[in-house]
Amino acid sequence: GAGVSQSPRYKVAKRGQDVALRCDPISGHVSLFWYQQALGQGPEFLTYFQNEAQLDKSGLPSDRFFAERPEGSVSTLKIQRTQQEDSAVYLCASSVRGSGELFFGEGSRLTVL
Amino acid sequence: DAKTTQPNSMESNEEEPVHLPCNHSTISGTDYIHWYRQLPSQGPEYVIHGLTSNVNNRMASLAIAEDRKSSTLILHRATLRDAAVYYCILRDVGGYRDDKIIFGKGTRLHILP
């Protein structure tokens, strides 16, 4: 497809489980961003990649959150030992370059029971 | 990060123009004014951006005050499909590393049929 693709669209996890969320950016896009959006709030920045380099991870809320983009294309956001407060929509966006227009996926909705 | 202030919500009638205000009194000389919107159950999408001059595209117009401390997003003829949360964002694209977009809470626009 031509847009940013995220999977799974919906994930239910039991507290303490590990989850992995995948993002397929638009082909050729150098920059990739992850955001977390709680219900009724605006998206909160988590981390940013330029190709395979993670240039900014200042928004990751704890060391349970880890993101990677090993070949500069697909990215995975991993959350270890999930907690209820991790319940949110996780949005991925890509852009041609860091300062360009961001194209967002539809998000992965995580519910932690 | 430079901050923006927007009304929490606004209402407009279908097929009428809508003016969405944004205050950004601490804007710096290298900050561009960006607008994104988020339709229900979707990721944000780019609407328009500008630096100093007013801008028009197929989706909307952006009117920027002469002192750049405020701006207005103009939807010329609102449709039900324009019901969304609209985010006004300042983005310094002069730097290399600081390319992340910081979202606020935005304005929830309701369109009345």
Side-chain angles (χ1 to χ4, degrees), chain A residues 5-23:
Chain A
S5 177
Q6 293 188 246
S7 60
R9 286 295 314 281
Y10 302 93
K11 174 70 178 177
V12 178
K14 291 183 179 178
R15 191 162 59 92
Q17 270 187 321
D18 296 349
V19 299
L21 307 176
R22 177 188 169 105
C23 173

Side-chain angles (χ1 to χ4, degrees), chain A residues 14-90:
Chain A
K14 291 183 179 178
R15 191 162 59 92
Q17 270 187 321
D18 296 349
V19 299
L21 307 176
R22 177 188 169 105
C23 173
D24 276 276
I26 294 173
S27 178
H29 278 196
V30 168
S31 300
L32 186 145
F33 303 80
W34 282 99
Y35 286 83
Q36 179 191 59
Q37 186 169 27
L39 192 63
Q41 303 296 314
E44 296 276 348
F45 171 79
L46 293 177
T47 187
Y48 160 55
F49 290 86
Q50 190 171 88
N51 295 308
E52 69 279 4
Q54 190 174 21
L55 297 187
D56 188 340
K57 53 182 181 179
S58 61
L60 296 176
S62 76
D63 58 8
R64 296 187 296 104
F65 286 71
F66 171 78
E68 61 182 4
R69 193 186 185 198
E71 296 178 0
S73 177
V74 171
S75 177
T76 304
L77 176 67
K78 297 179 180 178
I79 309 173
Q80 296 177 323
R81 305 181 302 283
T82 52
Q83 303 294 316
Q84 282 191 321
E85 61 262 29
D86 300 334
S87 295
V89 175
Y90 290 85

Side-chain angles (χ1 to χ4, degrees), chain B residues 22 26 40 66-67 69 76 90 100-101:
Chain B
C22 181
T26 59
E66 195 169 334
D67 63 4
K69 294 183 184 299
H76 294 287
L90 299 183
K100 60 181 179 271
I101 285 182

Side-chain angles (χ1 to χ4, degrees), chain A residues 101-102, chain B residues 34-38 44-49 55-62 73-75 85-87:
Chain A
E101 172 188 346
L102 265 61
Chain B
H34 287 245
W35 284 81
Y36 280 74
R37 74 178 185 180
Q38 188 170 21
E45 63 177 352
Y46 168 83
V47 178
I48 199 166
H49 78 281
V55 185
N56 299 295
N57 66 20
R58 64 174 179 80
M59 288 181 71
S61 296
L62 177 59
L73 179 70
I74 302 165
L75 307 179
V85 178
Y86 287 78
Y87 297 98

